[in-house]
């Protein structure tokens, strides 16, 4: 059970990985955060420190908890340092080949009892698990962005995921103060199976000249009470991530309704990836802070 988890490894020092590492550290668990890029680890450490201090300033964490959380965080670029981890959570690029290669390495390095979890937002857990000799201990643990704020974790069981693994990861998610929903291992799972076609349709609406980007987003925000319009949300997620998920849906489900909008493809080809690049559907200056309304998403 989650109470027995003393050490967690998180792979990927980006926004998702650093956010997951923060959750584990605040929950009282020792954390190894791994990234091959030392600059990414430096940035992640700074981001986590600033984030926990914001929670302190808002009265949502005590200074003692925040200080202890930072002490529990260790950074590394050596996969061997994850040997003692009870759970290893992968939060790297959304590529099946890359993830399978990593999980094969983790299977070799991790202790026999370790659970291997993927933060994938759309890729088959069953196929990722096939790269290991422990498919019963592989599971999807899909956090929403940004993990310290968003309340949901989407748990995905592969074909061979054991009940024990599921129960442990569900309890761990709840230890992180998250609400859990459970999905079968189908392309896109629950959230992105519904969300990404909406975003894709917003691109088609813009592509065919139905309305301006501003009116599309305003219409959806005020007409359906969403905190962000679909095009603004796509920029926040990353247009490359949106396109990758749409491709998974299109190939995995074989339905033309999941065909990526040509405008989305064009933007990604042009490097217009959203807020992280300073330009996507909209143009940004300094990378903006996460809006308060996003916490309600």
């Amino acid at each position: 059970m989650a109470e027995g988890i003393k050490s967690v490894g998180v792979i990927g020092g980006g926004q998702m990985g650093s956010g997951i590492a923060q959750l584990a550290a605040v929950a009282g668990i020792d954390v190894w955060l791994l990234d091959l890029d030392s600059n990414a680890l430096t940035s992640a450490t700074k981001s986590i420190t600033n984030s926990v201090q914001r929670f302190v300033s808002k009265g949502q964490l005590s200074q003692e908890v925040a200080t202890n959380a930072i002490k529990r965080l260790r950074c590394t670029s050596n996969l061997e340092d994850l040997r003692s981890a009870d759970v290893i959570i992968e939060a790297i690029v959304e590529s099946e080949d890359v993830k399978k290669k990593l999980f094969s390495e983790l299977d070799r390095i991790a202790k026999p009892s370790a659970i291997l979890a993927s933060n994938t937002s759309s890729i088959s857990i069953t196929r990722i698990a096939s790269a290991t000799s422990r498919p019963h201990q592989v599971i999807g643990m899909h956090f929403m962005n940004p993990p310290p704020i968003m309340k949901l974790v989407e748990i995905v069981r592969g074909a061979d995921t054991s009940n024990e693994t599921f129960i442990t990861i569900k309890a761990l998610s709840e230890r992180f103060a998250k609400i859990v929903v459970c999905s079968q291992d189908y392309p896109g799972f629950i959230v992105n199976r519904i969300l990404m076609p909406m975003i894709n349709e917003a691109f088609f609406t813009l592509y065919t000249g139905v309305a301006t980007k501003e009116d599309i987003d305003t219409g959806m925000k005020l007409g359906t009470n969403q905190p962000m319009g679909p095009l603004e949300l796509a920029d926040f997620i990353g247009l490359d991530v949106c396109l990758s998920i749409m491709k998974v849906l299109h190939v995995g489900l074989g339905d033309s309704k999941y065909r990526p909008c040509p405008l989305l493809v064009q933007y990604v080809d042009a490097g217009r990836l959203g807020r992280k690049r300073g330009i996507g559907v909209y143009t940004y200056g300094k990378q903006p802070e996460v809006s308060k309304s996003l916490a309600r998403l």
Side-chain angles (χ1 to χ4, degrees):
M1 296 295 289
E3 293 78 11
I5 295 173
K6 306 299 183 184
S7 175
V8 167
V10 180
I11 301 178
Q15 186 170 11
M16 294 303 297
S18 62
I20 296 167
Q22 177 181 326
L23 288 170
V26 169
I29 301 171
D30 291 333
V31 183
W32 278 106
L33 177 61
L34 182 146
D35 200 293
L36 297 180
D37 184 349
S38 60
N39 291 329
L41 291 175
T42 300
S43 178
T45 301
K46 181 179 178 181
S47 174
I48 292 169
T49 302
N50 290 339
S51 179
V52 295
Q53 286 304 321
R54 282 196 295 271
F55 280 106
V56 171
S57 68
K58 295 175 182 178
Q60 297 172 339
L61 277 183
S62 70
Q63 185 60 60
E64 181 182 9
V65 169
T67 300
N68 289 335
I70 299 303
K71 289 180 180 178
R72 292 189 190 97
L73 178 68
R74 290 173 289 180
C75 294
T76 183
S77 294
N78 184 1
L79 210 60
E80 298 285 342
D81 285 332
L82 305 187
R83 281 185 177 277
S84 62
D86 299 306
V87 175
I88 301 175
I89 305 170
E90 164 272 314
I92 62 171
V93 63
E94 192 72 350
S95 163
E96 182 174 333
D97 290 342
V98 174
K99 289 182 189 295
K100 287 174 76 172
K101 182 179 179 181
L102 173 62
F103 271 70
S104 179
E105 283 292 295
L106 291 176
D107 187 42
R108 179 181 64 82
I109 290 168
K111 62 185 181 182
S113 61
I115 292 173
L116 308 180
S118 176
N119 183 56
T120 179
S121 55
S122 62
I123 297 170
S124 168
I125 299 300
T126 301
R127 293 203 299 270
I128 292 174
S130 71
T132 77
S133 62
R134 60 178 91 190
H136 58 292
Q137 291 166 230
V138 178
I139 195 166
M141 197 179 187
H142 179 209
F143 292 82
M144 305 297 119
N145 190 13
I149 296 177
M150 303 295 275
K151 292 296 184 184
L152 185 72
V153 171
E154 187 176 36
I155 294 179
V156 185
R157 299 181 65 160
D160 297 311
T161 303
S162 69
N163 285 333
E164 182 181 0
T165 295
F166 169 74
I167 291 168
T168 299
I169 292 302
K170 183 175 185 291
L172 180 62
S173 301
E174 291 168 348
R175 185 172 171 183
F176 290 168
K178 300 303 179 186
I179 295 170
V180 169
V181 296
C182 305
S183 174
Q184 297 300 313
D185 191 17
Y186 290 102
F189 315 136
I190 300 170
V191 175
N192 283 323
R193 175 75 175 266
I194 297 168
L195 174 63
M196 287 302 161
M198 181 190 74
I199 287 175
N200 196 51
E201 194 61 31
F203 272 93
F204 270 114
T205 305
L206 181 62
Y207 179 58
T208 55
V210 172
T212 65
K213 58 193 176 189
E214 293 85 2
D215 281 355
I216 292 167
D217 277 346
T218 299
M220 291 302 292
K221 283 191 287 187
L222 301 184
T224 63
N225 201 30
Q226 297 184 39
M228 298 176 75
L231 298 173
E232 182 186 4
L233 178 56
D235 272 355
F236 179 78
I237 294 169
L239 302 193
D240 52 335
V241 176
C242 295
L243 178 58
S244 175
I245 296 170
M246 285 308 303
K247 287 179 176 178
V248 169
L249 291 172
H250 192 209
V251 172
L253 298 171
D255 194 317
S256 61
K257 71 181 180 180
Y258 299 112
R259 176 175 65 95
C261 176
L263 184 61
L264 174 59
V265 175
Q266 184 183 65
Y267 278 13
V268 173
D269 286 345
R272 299 178 58 157
L273 305 184
R275 291 191 183 198
K276 60 188 174 185
R277 286 288 179 84
I279 185 169
V281 179
Y282 296 93
T283 301
Y284 304 89
K286 181 180 177 181
Q287 189 168 346
E289 293 285 336
V290 176
S291 64
K292 292 180 180 179
S293 62
L294 185 62
R296 300 196 301 273
L297 190 63

